[in-house]
Amino acid sequence: MRGRRPRNSPAVYESTPPHMFKNHLKLAWRGLLKRKGYSALNIFGLTIGITCCLLIFNYVAYERSYDTFQPNSGRIVRLRMDSYQEGKLAWKSATVYPAIAPAMKKEFPEVEKFCRLIDANLLLTNPEKTVKFNELKGYYADPSALDMLDIHLTKGNPATALDGPGKILLSESMAKKYFGNEDPMGKRLTGQGGFGGGLETYEVTGVFKEYPANSHLILHHLVSYSTLGKITREQWHDSTNLTETSWGWYDYYDYVQLRRGADWKALQAKLPAFADRHMNNEQWHKKNNVRSELYLIPMPDIHLWSNYNQEAEVNGNGKAVGFLFLIAFLIIAIAWINYTNLATARSLERAKEVGLRKVLGAIRIDLISQFLIESFLLNTLALALAILLSILLAPSFATLIGSDAGPFSLPAPYALGFAGIFLLGSFLSGLYPAFILSGYHPITVLKGLFRNTTRGQVLRKGLIIGQFAVSVILITGTILVYQQVQYMRRQQLGFNIDQTLVLDGPGSSQQDSTYKTIFQPFTTGLLQQTGIKSITASSNVMGQEIYWTNSVNRVGASTKSAITLYILGIDYNFIPDYNLHLVAGRNFSPDYPTDKQAILINETALPLFGFKNAADALNGKLVWGDTGHIIGVVADYHHQGLQKAINPLLIRCIPDMRNYYSIKFTSTDVHQTITAIKKAWDRYFPNDPFNYFFLDESFNQQYKSDTRFGATFGIFATLAIIIACFGLLGLSAYNVLQRTKEIGIRKVLGATEQSLVFLLSKEFLYLVLISLVIAIPLAWWVMHSWLQDYAYRISIQWWVFALGGLLALAIALTTVGIQALRASLANPAKSLRTE
Amino acid sequence: MIDLKRISKWVNVGGKPNFILKDINLDIKEGEFVSIMGPSGSGKSSLLNIIGMLDDSSEGEYFFLGQGVHGLKEKQRSQLYKQYIGFVFQAYHLIDELTVYENIETPLIYQNIKGSERQAMVADILDRFQIVGKKDLFPTQLSGGQQQLVGIARALIGKPKLLLADEPTGNLNSRQGEEIMDLFKQLNNEGVTIIQVTHSEKNAAYGSRIINLLDGRIDNFN
């Protein structure tokens, strides 16, 4: 028999045969039930990790699904524009000029078609039923928009629905709102406001299906584009066909659809030359030293990555979504690290079984597959629980994070991606312990020589460090986000928004000639009410983006270039009512008849015109079409909160301004105050809807997304720490178990309980300390870059890291210390007898 | 069957070799029933482990059924011993999570034997050892003697040519011990080669040959 090879070739054992798989699965299941505490710890940790991951995947998938329902979204780009004045970036807008898209179609063969939208905020009325609402989600639109932007008409002919002036399309719910169950086709609506100012009559030529919620545009009504042309001709006496030819009216959303196969980046590369040709080399741009740059943004990117002036809707924050995506991976990684750590730490317990199986003929690959199957079983159970939890929690999570994502669902690419991560994670987290465990030598184990093992300790320690580093980053991140939000809320804004109720003014529905005769008695009447302190009219109120801008020159200045200033029109009461501070000069006053030509500017505007200081600006003259002389300088105030930088402001004295009325009240009975105001409103403005909001509420809306982000961050930080603590709990428990005899001996030799607790906790504390050293610079860097998005931001204090570190340390110490204390209190006679 | 030539085993303690086995020459024929005796630390278990291929010798040659075991890789050795050798331990070493039936079945699984065949083989041996009624119990539900019976059944299920037993009766009372030794005798009569390590003269007497170890050497003067 010498030299004969064994009967079976070893190659047969490279893979696990099915009967072995079944056996392993059975064994894994029994092991799971036998070690209930350990299994629960593992499954619970994994379930939390996977649930977080699934919920975030669901959210991210939704946020990234915007506009993908449009069949051509991949080929549609929207234009945007950056304007530089004297080389300084002055204006970044999502809107551009109406002449750009047609010119592109003419000059670039890859442009297949285009359409333009421009806000049509109208007070719409059904004269037959006196149904009347201020409609803010509507646009004047090119006829091509219907096809390009995938607007489905349920009634009407798409070919003719927008092909002439005076036509309006309504969404299905709008049609219901204005016409009930009647057929709206061919019926009339009157509209006031918009760019026209006057009263227009519209014929309903179609009804369209509303977009789903994941659209960057919300459409309630569409007015034919040529209506706007007619308005500019008839009411503005424009003979240049502005709505087609203007290279200066930047309120238009220009969408361009590319031919199949065309690359938008290649098209964008041609835009600098295009912009030079049409704008920058033209007279006006040169004279004013203005340069404009055009960019394209693909339609599916608009929701997350377009955050400029004049966006159609408040868009999402791609950066925050990316942060969350990263957190999802970190949390699930922490959960898997736990599994790996606990499984390797448990090797002592499993060693005997491993040795035995080897003696019975198992080779390493058999054992590795056995341990991997165990890992998959645990992971699969956790996954099942996590899916259940995700379905239950998805609505609350959506509320928390402010998402419109519906019930839990993952689109195919995300589901596949997650499945891949899940398989890889379960495999990798099980692989290492499998290798460690399967490596034991049978004799040492079975002979009982085997006491303790250093195998896998380095990795285990490394993983604990990683877990706690992530936790510390999340804790400090939470603290800093919270601080920033608090900072923004508490910072002196430079004006007073307390006890302020704002009414939507009647706007252009009131004729200039008669307005004064109505407004005067309205205010007088209101001010007689107890609890109402004052009333002031303005073009905008605090917290609102100002769309009204002008190019302004200083009369007699050395520089010739125009500066874009944001315009605020106010009456005489605005400055005192809002407690705005004047650093020089005086407020507008009805005592000076010439004040109608007077202006105020803010401090930010001073250097732009070469004024040395506030006093220097007094009596300076600015020209923008009209001319105004500066009678005062307003201290800078945060018109749009602290996320945004302060814009240069030109404040004009327009007592007839009627966009917003700000009413300061002192009464504590808010309900009664509103009733009184409404009564007065209905008497003097019976044809205008009564809409109001509280200024502090609306102003703080700006911080809502940050507050949410902070809350979300905080929740995931907490969960990450909980999972990490599960791991630490398991590890320290096994650590104590392994050292039972040592603890007994030390106690017999006279060790105190404190010294034992210290002895047992020391090792873990070192690890947490090392993790701090790694985490703090990382946390600083991450949060530093996050804060860059805020024009006004906190400086990062050292104590934030100290606090985050201490918190992590305290949590770790408690987790480990409890185990250590229990061990140190045990009766040594008992632990030594078992040997 | 077993041919050990100048087998030595040492471990290094403080840089110096500390001999556990020294210069062992041993020849065991098929069908023998050998008892290895000697005081604690004399190297009995180490010798048994080397014969059972669970451990390497530091020096020397080992031929099993004519094949050189020294120099085989772990996988090949594992192939060899799972085919020809069964192990019985003093502490039984049953897998706690498995039932009696499954414990006995485990070696067959690692030998890749088909389900129906395994069932027949396990049923046979349960029958023979008269433990059919215990097949669904877990090890902790059995007495020591019964556990060792299961251990032996598990060792025999693969129809090994060689049975290695490391103090198989060490944890049993004398009546249970006698039953096990009677069983060994019977197995030996059926042709199974048996090597046992024992402290008991009485148990050693069941065998056909006694090897005495002293300080890692075979003591020939006894």
Side-chain angles (χ1 to χ4, degrees):
Chain A
M1 272 189 153
R2 191 178 284 259
R4 207 189 84 171
R5 283 180 55 75
R7 202 164 47 193
N8 292 328
S9 142
V12 174
Y13 293 87
E14 295 296 342
S15 65
T16 307
H19 61 264
M20 213 179 282
F21 175 80
K22 215 176 104 192
N23 182 272
H24 288 164
L25 199 62
K26 183 169 66 186
L27 196 68
W29 178 248
R30 292 212 190 123
L32 196 93
L33 293 181
K34 191 181 167 205
R35 296 175 285 267
K36 284 197 184 72
Y38 167 82
S39 309
L41 206 61
N42 258 322
I43 293 178
F44 198 40
L46 285 169
T47 304
I48 294 178
I50 298 171
T51 308
C52 290
C53 195
L54 283 173
L55 286 174
I56 294 176
F57 263 54
N58 179 44
Y59 166 71
V60 170
Y62 178 77
E63 284 292 301
R64 292 197 176 160
S65 74
Y66 268 67
D67 298 309
T68 48
F69 63 87
Q70 298 227 16
N72 291 326
S73 63
R75 290 198 285 146
I76 297 174
V77 292
R78 195 177 76 181
L79 278 126
R80 70 168 188 85
M81 185 171 68
D82 286 353
S83 287
Y84 292 83
Q85 285 173 346
E86 311 215 298
K88 262 177 68 185
L89 184 61
W91 175 256
K92 288 165 82 74
S93 71
T95 49
V96 295
Y97 309 136
I100 291 180
M104 284 178 70
K105 164 107 171 76
K106 212 151 94 194
E107 294 169 35
F108 302 123
E110 58 265 55
V111 173
E112 186 175 293
K113 47 187 162 181
F114 67 87
C115 69
R116 293 158 297 184
L117 303 181
I118 176 169
D119 273 336
N121 296 340
L122 298 173
L123 175 64
L124 285 180
T125 314
N126 176 355
E128 286 172 30
K129 296 193 154 188
T130 63
V131 187
K132 172 183 292 201
F133 295 97
N134 235 328
E135 299 295 349
L136 304 175
K137 306 279 181 197
Y139 299 90
Y140 298 100
D142 276 317
S144 54
L146 294 182
D147 174 47
M148 247 178 90
L149 302 181
D150 196 42
I151 299 162
H152 287 291
L153 294 192
T154 52
K155 280 182 181 146
N157 177 2
T160 57
L162 287 175
D163 72 348
K167 296 188 174 178
I168 191 166
L169 304 181
L170 300 178
S171 73
E172 283 172 335
S173 57
M174 284 273 284
K176 192 138 201 133
K177 186 158 104 181
Y178 285 91
F179 297 100
N181 290 327
E182 289 173 37
D183 181 7
M185 291 297 288
K187 295 254 165 52
R188 315 249 152 206
L189 284 178
T190 59
Q192 278 172 331
F195 289 95
L199 191 72
E200 299 283 327
T201 303
Y202 299 101
E203 181 197 352
V204 179
T205 53
V207 176
F208 60 88
K209 260 178 103 98
E210 256 154 89
Y211 281 144
N214 54 346
S215 167
H216 81 280
L217 274 176
I218 299 175
L219 299 181
H220 287 171
H221 65 273
L222 289 171
V223 181
S224 53
Y225 194 77
S226 45
T227 309
L228 188 59
K230 183 170 163 261
I231 288 170
T232 55
R233 267 195 314 280
E234 291 175 0
Q235 297 183 29
W236 299 11
H237 313 294
D238 159 55
S239 58
T240 60
N241 199 8
L242 271 178
T243 57
E244 295 299 332
T245 59
S246 172
W247 289 92
W249 183 2
Y250 55 76
D251 288 333
Y252 294 79
Y253 301 101
D254 285 27
Y255 294 87
V256 164
Q257 182 168 327
L258 305 184
R259 287 188 198 287
R260 279 183 205 285
D263 177 18
W264 69 270
K265 283 187 177 142
L267 180 61
Q268 178 161 289
K270 297 177 186 173
L271 289 180
F274 175 86
D276 285 348
R277 203 155 59 233
H278 289 283
M279 303 186 282
N280 300 334
N281 293 341
E282 292 295 303
Q283 182 94 37
W284 181 87
H285 280 78
K286 283 194 144 168
K287 188 181 137 232
N288 292 300
N289 198 4
V290 170
R291 197 168 54 79
S292 297
E293 292 177 356
L294 293 173
Y295 298 95
L296 303 176
I297 181 158
M299 185 145 86
D301 288 352
I302 292 175
H303 175 66
L304 284 183
W305 301 107
S306 188
N307 191 10
Y308 305 103
N309 292 320
Q310 319 218 108
E311 290 288 351
E313 297 296 331
V314 177
N315 281 334
N317 182 343
K319 227 180 190 177
V321 169
F323 255 126
L324 265 180
F325 212 29
L326 186 70
I327 288 176
F329 286 107
L330 289 178
I331 287 191
I332 203 167
I334 288 183
W336 276 321
I337 287 175
N338 268 355
Y339 178 79
T340 305
N341 277 348
L342 288 172
T344 45
R346 252 188 60 221
S347 55
L348 181 68
E349 200 180 304
R350 304 292 301 269
K352 183 191 148 194
E353 181 194 335
V354 169
L356 206 55
R357 283 182 176 273
K358 282 197 164 179
V359 169
L360 296 179
I363 52 171
R364 203 161 176 185
I365 191 87
D366 298 329
L367 294 166
I368 290 176
S369 62
Q370 179 188 338
F371 290 120
L372 281 179
I373 286 166
E374 265 178 39
S375 146
F376 272 105
L377 181 68
L378 269 178
N379 272 289
T380 309
L381 284 176
L383 178 66
L385 281 174
I387 290 175
L388 207 70
L389 266 177
S390 300
I391 293 169
L392 289 175
L393 293 178
S396 336
F397 181 68
T399 314
L400 167 78
I401 207 162
S403 149
D404 319 315
F408 182 77
S409 71
L410 279 186
Y414 287 87
L416 282 176
F418 179 78
I421 293 166
F422 176 76
L423 288 176
L424 190 73
S426 332
F427 179 70
L428 286 181
S429 60
L431 193 63
Y432 185 73
F435 260 101
I436 292 285
L437 283 169
S438 65
Y440 287 128
H441 208 271
I443 305 175
T444 43
V445 175
L446 294 180
K447 265 296 172 190
L449 300 172
F450 178 84
R451 279 303 319 150
N452 208 332
T453 177
T454 52
R455 265 178 211 254
Q457 270 193 12
V458 175
L459 182 90
R460 210 147 73 211
K461 285 177 180 169
L463 292 177
I464 294 177
I465 291 171
Q467 279 186 321
F468 268 84
V470 170
S471 303
V472 170
I473 292 174
L474 290 174
I475 295 178
T476 47
T478 307
I479 299 174
L480 285 168
V481 171
Y482 178 78
Q483 275 190 320
Q484 173 68 18
V485 172
Q486 286 304 308
Y487 169 81
M488 290 192 294
R489 282 173 173 249
R490 293 210 184 120
Q491 190 67 1
Q492 289 295 320
L493 293 165
F495 56 89
N496 176 15
I497 56 169
D498 298 338
Q499 302 273 77
T500 309
L501 185 137
V502 180
L503 297 180
D504 284 348
S508 50
S509 69
Q510 292 293 328
Q511 297 297 312
D512 285 353
S513 50
T514 55
Y515 174 68
K516 205 164 279 170
T517 62
I518 298 169
F519 185 62
Q520 208 60 52
F522 170 66
T523 46
T524 323
L526 270 187
L527 290 173
Q528 278 163 4
Q529 304 276 345
T530 49
I532 292 177
K533 204 165 77 178
S534 61
I535 175 164
T536 177
S538 58
S539 58
N540 276 111
V541 292
M542 315 317 193
Q544 292 176 330
E545 186 179 348
I546 297 178
Y547 290 153
W548 189 11
T549 61
N550 265 130
S551 292
V552 182
N553 283 86
R554 180 178 170 187
V555 175
S558 52
T559 56
K560 284 186 293 178
S561 58
I563 308 292
T564 299
L565 290 192
Y566 292 72
I567 315 288
L568 187 63
I570 61 172
D571 66 6
Y572 303 108
N573 298 328
F574 191 84
I575 301 273
D577 274 12
Y578 275 107
N579 257 339
L580 290 179
H581 177 58
L582 285 163
V583 289
R586 59 172 179 84
N587 181 21
F588 303 122
S589 161
D591 302 337
Y592 296 83
T594 54
D595 271 5
K596 292 263 171 78
Q597 292 306 314
I599 55 171
L600 304 172
I601 59 174
N602 68 353
E603 290 171 299
T604 301
L606 289 174
L608 301 177
F609 293 102
F611 295 121
K612 284 195 277 297
N613 53 45
D616 185 36
L618 293 181
N619 296 317
K621 277 204 167 77
L622 301 183
V623 58
W624 63 92
D626 271 330
T627 307
H629 62 275
I630 301 168
I631 59 159
V633 177
V634 174
D636 276 340
Y637 70 94
H638 296 279
H639 188 90
Q640 275 198 76
L642 282 105
Q643 287 123 318
K644 304 268 171 68
I646 292 173
N647 290 318
L649 205 58
L650 190 159
I651 302 172
R652 292 175 57 183
C653 177
I654 310 175
D656 287 351
M657 206 72 238
R658 62 200 86 155
N659 293 23
Y660 297 98
Y661 300 142
S662 309
I663 299 172
K664 295 273 175 188
F665 59 92
T666 49
S667 159
T668 47
D669 188 350
V670 177
H671 182 73
Q672 187 253 321
T673 308
I674 293 170
T675 316
I677 296 170
K678 180 160 178 8
K679 214 171 135 200
W681 180 270
D682 287 343
R683 183 169 161 207
Y684 291 101
F685 302 103
N687 295 319
D688 294 291
F690 178 73
N691 290 324
Y692 68 91
F693 55 89
F694 291 99
L695 192 58
D696 50 354
E697 276 174 24
S698 99
F699 194 85
N700 284 327
Q701 283 286 321
Q702 301 178 96
Y703 305 133
K704 206 165 155 190
S705 70
D706 293 303
T707 312
R708 275 179 184 150
F709 184 59
T712 314
F713 219 88
I715 283 178
F716 285 122
T718 313
L719 288 176
I721 292 211
I722 288 175
I723 302 175
C725 280
F726 282 165
L728 212 54
L729 188 75
L731 277 184
S732 56
Y734 279 109
N735 185 44
V736 165
L737 197 69
Q738 282 190 358
R739 298 171 78 167
T740 310
K741 190 180 169 193
E742 179 197 335
I743 296 166
I745 294 171
R746 281 177 189 271
K747 260 194 114 165
V748 170
L749 295 180
T752 61
E753 266 115 44
Q754 294 97 301
S755 73
L756 285 173
V757 170
F758 180 70
L759 177 83
L760 291 167
S761 313
K762 196 172 62 179
E763 187 191 345
F764 290 103
L765 292 186
Y766 276 137
L767 298 181
V768 175
L769 283 175
I770 296 172
S771 75
L772 288 185
V773 173
I774 298 170
I776 287 172
L778 270 172
W780 182 87
W781 178 75
V782 170
M783 292 319 290
H784 179 76
S785 58
W786 178 74
L787 284 171
Q788 296 310 305
D789 284 356
Y790 294 86
Y792 299 90
R793 52 186 176 256
I794 50 167
S795 53
I796 300 177
Q797 308 278 334
W798 65 269
W799 63 261
V800 172
F801 299 108
L803 182 65
L806 264 168
L807 220 60
L809 209 60
I811 293 168
L813 189 65
T814 317
T815 313
V816 177
I818 289 169
Q819 300 282 342
L821 190 67
R822 220 166 52 189
S824 69
L825 292 175
N827 180 359
K830 222 172 176 181
S831 60
L832 289 179
R833 198 176 52 207
T834 58
E835 281 303 309
Chain B
M1 181 184 214
I2 290 165
D3 192 4
L4 301 179
K5 292 199 157 96
R6 301 185 62 86
I7 291 285
S8 290
K9 171 90 183 166
W10 66 79
V11 289
N12 282 318
V13 177
K16 282 187 183 160
N18 184 6
F19 280 91
I20 296 162
L21 293 172
K22 192 153 190 188
D23 227 1
I24 303 279
N25 288 297
L26 185 62
D27 192 19
I28 295 170
K29 302 268 176 306
E30 224 170 316
E32 279 195 83
F33 185 166
V34 179
S35 302
I36 302 175
M37 296 192 72
S40 288
S42 59
K44 304 183 298 286
S45 293
S46 301
L47 182 58
L48 201 68
N49 285 336
I50 288 174
I51 293 172
M53 302 177 210
L54 299 177
D55 204 358
D56 279 327
S57 59
S58 308
E59 202 176 69
E61 294 177 316
Y62 172 20
F63 294 96
F64 182 79
L65 289 172
Q67 179 168 12
V69 175
H70 49 277
L72 284 184
K73 292 208 178 88
E74 192 205 325
K75 206 184 250 176
Q76 293 166 316
R77 259 195 304 183
S78 155
Q79 283 283 34
L80 204 57
Y81 74 66
K82 79 175 155 196
Q83 211 173 314
Y84 295 112
I85 304 176
F87 295 89
V88 176
F89 305 95
Q90 177 177 2
Y92 332 128
H93 285 332
L94 300 176
I95 297 176
D96 291 340
E97 284 81 11
L98 298 183
T99 61
V100 165
Y101 183 98
E102 288 159 348
N103 260 293
I104 297 173
E105 186 190 25
T106 304
L108 299 178
I109 289 172
Y110 291 126
Q111 285 178 34
N112 251 359
I113 288 167
K114 278 206 287 294
S116 52
E117 207 178 324
R118 288 206 306 269
Q119 222 172 343
M121 290 167 83
V122 177
D124 256 8
I125 212 147
L126 285 171
D127 198 30
R128 174 165 174 199
F129 282 53
Q130 295 171 3
I131 46 176
V132 179
K134 308 257 187 304
K135 74 176 165 55
D136 292 326
L137 297 181
F138 287 92
T140 47
Q141 296 167 296
L142 300 176
S143 72
Q146 286 167 335
Q147 288 191 47
Q148 191 59 297
L149 217 52
V150 175
I152 295 169
R154 186 180 65 182
L156 291 175
I157 187 77
K159 300 204 168 32
K161 285 185 182 312
L162 175 64
L163 188 67
L164 299 178
D166 194 350
E167 302 203 33
T169 61
N171 286 12
L172 302 177
N173 63 35
S174 59
R175 194 182 54 78
Q176 290 170 327
E178 263 172 46
E179 278 172 23
I180 296 296
M181 290 320 294
D182 285 339
L183 180 61
F184 274 21
K185 189 76 204 161
Q186 194 186 332
L187 289 169
N188 183 241
N189 290 339
E190 289 166 17
V192 180
T193 312
I194 297 177
I195 304 174
Q196 67 166 341
V197 164
T198 182
H199 273 118
S200 145
E201 297 273 357
K202 195 176 148 211
N203 287 350
Y206 279 85
S208 53
R209 171 147 70 123
I210 293 175
I211 294 166
N212 279 301
L213 281 183
L214 191 64
D215 297 337
R217 293 167 192 271
I218 293 180
D219 186 356
N220 290 320
F221 303 102
N222 201 324

